[in-house]
Amino acid sequence: MQIQFLGGAGVNGDSADLVVGRPVMITAIATDDNGEPVQPMDATYAWTWPKWLPTYPDGYDWPADAQQTQFNPTSDLVGKIAEVGVTITTKDGKKVSKSLKCTIVK
Protein backbone atom coordinates (compact mmCIF):
# COMPACT_ATOMS: atom_id res chain seq x y z
CA MET A 1 0.00 0.00 0.00
CA GLN A 2 1.23 3.50 -0.83
CA ILE A 3 0.24 7.09 -0.03
CA GLN A 4 0.20 9.98 -2.45
CA PHE A 5 -0.30 13.56 -1.32
CA LEU A 6 -2.49 15.80 -3.44
CA GLY A 7 -3.18 19.43 -2.87
CA GLY A 8 -3.26 22.92 -4.19
CA ALA A 9 -0.38 24.83 -5.70
CA GLY A 10 2.88 23.97 -4.05
CA VAL A 11 2.23 20.30 -3.23
CA ASN A 12 4.64 18.16 -5.21
CA GLY A 13 5.39 14.55 -4.30
CA ASP A 14 6.78 14.36 -0.77
CA SER A 15 7.22 18.11 -0.29
CA ALA A 16 5.18 21.27 -0.43
CA ASP A 17 5.72 25.01 -0.41
CA LEU A 18 3.04 26.57 1.77
CA VAL A 19 2.60 30.18 0.65
CA VAL A 20 1.78 32.82 3.27
CA GLY A 21 -1.80 34.03 2.95
CA ARG A 22 -2.86 31.24 0.59
CA PRO A 23 -4.69 28.41 2.32
CA VAL A 24 -3.77 24.99 0.96
CA MET A 25 -5.68 21.74 1.39
CA ILE A 26 -3.63 18.55 1.52
CA THR A 27 -5.31 15.22 0.80
CA ALA A 28 -3.85 11.76 1.37
CA ILE A 29 -4.79 9.10 -1.18
CA ALA A 30 -3.88 5.49 -0.51
CA THR A 31 -3.56 2.84 -3.20
CA ASP A 32 -3.58 -0.88 -2.50
CA ASP A 33 -1.01 -3.41 -3.71
CA ASN A 34 -2.82 -3.57 -7.08
CA GLY A 35 -2.62 0.20 -7.56
CA GLU A 36 -6.34 0.66 -6.90
CA PRO A 37 -7.43 3.63 -4.76
CA VAL A 38 -8.51 2.80 -1.21
CA GLN A 39 -11.96 4.28 -0.64
CA PRO A 40 -12.08 6.76 2.28
CA MET A 41 -14.92 4.82 3.94
CA ASP A 42 -12.68 1.72 3.98
CA ALA A 43 -9.86 3.36 5.96
CA THR A 44 -9.04 5.58 8.91
CA TYR A 45 -6.65 8.52 8.78
CA ALA A 46 -4.41 9.81 11.56
CA TRP A 47 -2.78 13.19 10.80
CA THR A 48 -0.02 14.90 12.73
CA TRP A 49 1.37 18.41 12.30
CA PRO A 50 3.19 20.94 14.47
CA LYS A 51 0.75 22.99 16.53
CA TRP A 52 2.49 26.23 15.45
CA LEU A 53 1.23 25.69 11.88
CA PRO A 54 -2.15 27.49 11.58
CA THR A 55 -5.07 25.58 10.17
CA TYR A 56 -7.69 27.01 7.82
CA PRO A 57 -10.29 28.25 8.41
CA ASP A 58 -8.31 30.10 11.06
CA GLY A 59 -8.23 28.06 14.24
CA TYR A 60 -10.34 25.22 12.83
CA ASP A 61 -9.46 22.01 14.62
CA TRP A 62 -9.35 19.59 11.69
CA PRO A 63 -10.33 16.11 12.84
CA ALA A 64 -7.26 13.90 12.86
CA ASP A 65 -9.29 11.16 11.14
CA ALA A 66 -10.25 13.16 8.03
CA GLN A 67 -8.85 12.33 4.58
CA GLN A 68 -7.57 15.90 4.26
CA THR A 69 -6.37 18.83 6.28
CA GLN A 70 -5.87 22.50 5.43
CA PHE A 71 -3.27 25.07 6.50
CA ASN A 72 -2.85 28.83 6.21
CA PRO A 73 0.72 29.86 7.14
CA THR A 74 1.48 33.34 8.47
CA SER A 75 4.38 35.65 7.59
CA ASP A 76 6.15 35.08 10.91
CA LEU A 77 6.69 31.43 9.88
CA VAL A 78 8.57 32.09 6.60
CA GLY A 79 11.54 29.75 6.32
CA LYS A 80 10.26 27.21 8.85
CA ILE A 81 9.75 23.60 7.84
CA ALA A 82 6.75 21.63 9.08
CA GLU A 83 6.52 17.85 8.94
CA VAL A 84 2.92 16.91 8.21
CA GLY A 85 2.32 13.19 8.58
CA VAL A 86 -0.49 10.76 8.01
CA THR A 87 -1.05 7.11 8.84
CA ILE A 88 -3.75 5.29 6.92
CA THR A 89 -5.16 2.04 8.25
CA THR A 90 -7.55 -0.06 6.18
CA LYS A 91 -10.45 -2.06 7.60
CA ASP A 92 -8.46 -5.25 6.97
CA GLY A 93 -5.61 -3.98 9.17
CA LYS A 94 -3.06 -2.84 6.58
CA LYS A 95 -1.22 0.29 7.67
CA VAL A 96 0.99 2.79 5.87
CA SER A 97 2.53 6.10 6.97
CA LYS A 98 4.10 8.97 5.11
CA SER A 99 5.34 12.50 5.83
CA LEU A 100 5.14 15.65 3.75
CA LYS A 101 7.92 18.21 4.22
CA CYS A 102 6.26 21.64 4.09
CA THR A 103 8.38 24.76 3.70
CA ILE A 104 6.72 28.08 4.56
CA VAL A 105 7.39 30.64 1.79
CA LYS A 106 6.25 34.17 0.82
Side-chain angles (χ1 to χ4, degrees), residues 47-70:
W47 287 91
T48 59
W49 63 87
K51 295 304 172 193
W52 52 260
L53 181 61
T55 57
Y56 183 84
D58 290 336
Y60 180 69
D61 188 17
W62 280 87
D65 62 351
Q67 187 183 14
Q68 68 276 330
T69 188
Q70 194 166 5

Side-chain angles (χ1 to χ4, degrees), residues 3-37:
I3 294 175
Q4 177 182 8
F5 290 110
L6 301 176
V11 178
N12 185 12
D14 294 340
S15 65
D17 286 340
L18 303 183
V19 180
V20 170
R22 293 190 180 163
V24 63
M25 181 171 286
I26 300 169
T27 303
I29 305 292
T31 53
D32 64 19
D33 295 335
N34 297 319
E36 296 295 320

Side-chain angles (χ1 to χ4, degrees), residues 81-95:
I81 296 174
E83 286 282 328
V84 174
V86 67
T87 298
I88 300 174
T89 306
T90 61
K91 287 183 178 178
D92 63 359
K94 293 181 181 174
K95 187 183 284 192

